[in-house]
Amino acid sequence: DAGITQSPRHKVTETGTPVTLRCHQTENHRYMYWYRQDPGHGLRLIHYSYGVKDTDKGEVSDGYSVSRSKTEDFLLTLESATSSQTSVYFCAIQGTGGPGTFFGQGTRLTVV
Amino acid sequence: AQSVTQLGSHVSVSEGALVLLRCNYSSSVPPYLFWYVQYPNQGLQLLLKYTSAATLVKGINGFEAEFKKSETSFHLTKPSAHMSDAAEYFCAVSDVSQAGTALIFGKGTTLSVSS
């Protein structure tokens, strides 16, 4: 168990509303990631962080923003949710025991 | 740019049969390679990883994978399938030259096991 908690686990929201997903880790890892998983696409990187206040864009960052004000928390925000953002979102961290990324349990987001 | 191709979005085997899930990668630098498994409604669990040590890598649950540079492949195998192996499997690659580089995933292969 890599000590990753995602919240909420499930959310239904309306088009146009803002949504924030939270990822919390307990093991002080430097690198954190947000991915989305869609059928037929595997997992695609949205944003990642390499330290407090240090973030960068991934492959599918349009419509998303992130913040990391503390080592343990990495927030993903959809400023104005759209139906195309209906997906399962995974937070991940890179452990210190060599390369290898560990994943949270995911957040299933439905935008109606 | 790195990429991963998983051949076959769906593989079906009988219980006790050999499992072979195919993964090919492209990378301009020596890669790290990973296999993950995902059971329904769960997160991804690391099965095994190649980090430039032994080319034959053993993982959990009886799975193993062999890194073949000449074929740019990292296929996942298990000698005898169990019903509990039914899941989705993802191959992933990352860049060894930069710490913290995010994983790039294949699109996944769903493994079905019949009795």
Side-chain angles (χ1 to χ4, degrees):
Chain A
D1 184 359
I4 306 171
T5 303
Q6 291 186 232
S7 59
R9 293 293 312 280
H10 301 272
K11 187 170 182 66
V12 179
T13 192
E14 292 186 350
T15 299
T17 61
V19 177
T20 295
L21 308 183
R22 180 179 183 240
C23 177
H24 178 79
Q25 58 140 331
T26 59
E27 305 201 8
N28 207 35
H29 294 299
R30 178 181 176 187
Y31 300 101
M32 299 184 73
Y33 312 85
W34 278 107
Y35 289 88
R36 60 177 288 174
Q37 182 180 21
D38 304 288
H41 290 276
L43 281 83
R44 293 177 291 175
L45 182 68
I46 305 172
H47 281 279
Y48 64 98
S49 170
Y50 44 95
V52 174
K53 298 191 187 320
D54 291 325
T55 65
D56 207 345
K57 296 179 180 180
E59 177 189 0
V60 290
S61 59
D62 286 350
Y64 302 94
S65 62
V66 290
S67 65
R68 193 169 179 197
S69 58
K70 299 185 290 185
T71 299
E72 59 265 35
D73 289 326
F74 191 31
L75 304 181
L76 176 70
T77 298
L78 291 65
E79 300 292 346
S80 177
T82 68
S83 58
S84 65
Q85 293 175 313
T86 292
S87 186
V88 181
Y89 292 86
F90 286 99
C91 175
I93 59 96
Q94 186 170 104
T96 54
T101 301
F102 299 94
F103 288 80
Q105 292 298 299
T107 296
R108 184 173 296 275
L109 176 68
T110 303
V111 183
V112 297
Chain B
Q2 296 175 317
S3 66
V4 174
T5 301
Q6 291 185 240
L7 299 175
S9 60
H10 200 128
V11 171
S12 297
V13 300
S14 299
E15 193 172 21
L18 171 70
V19 175
L20 172 61
L21 304 182
R22 300 178 186 272
C23 173
N24 288 89
Y25 69 92
S26 71
S27 176
S28 58
V29 297
Y32 291 141
L33 292 159
F34 307 83
W35 276 100
Y36 286 84
V37 60
Q38 184 182 34
Y39 299 101
N41 299 313
Q42 294 192 21
L44 276 74
Q45 181 182 8
L46 181 64
L47 269 179
L48 50 80
K49 61 184 178 184
Y50 167 76
T51 58
S52 75
T55 57
L56 182 62
V57 180
K58 295 187 183 299
I60 61 172
N61 301 340
F63 284 94
E64 63 182 36
E66 185 172 8
F67 172 68
K68 292 187 177 181
K69 185 177 180 180
S70 61
E71 298 177 8
T72 61
S73 69
F74 190 58
H75 300 332
L76 181 71
T77 61
K78 182 174 180 178
S80 176
H82 295 162
M83 297 294 286
S84 60
D85 294 327
E88 190 161 20
Y89 292 80
F90 293 95
C91 181
V93 63
S94 73
D95 184 351
V96 305
S97 65
Q98 292 186 333
T101 305
L103 296 178
I104 296 171
F105 284 86
K107 295 184 178 181
T109 298
T110 299
L111 176 66
S112 299
V113 182
S114 58
S115 58

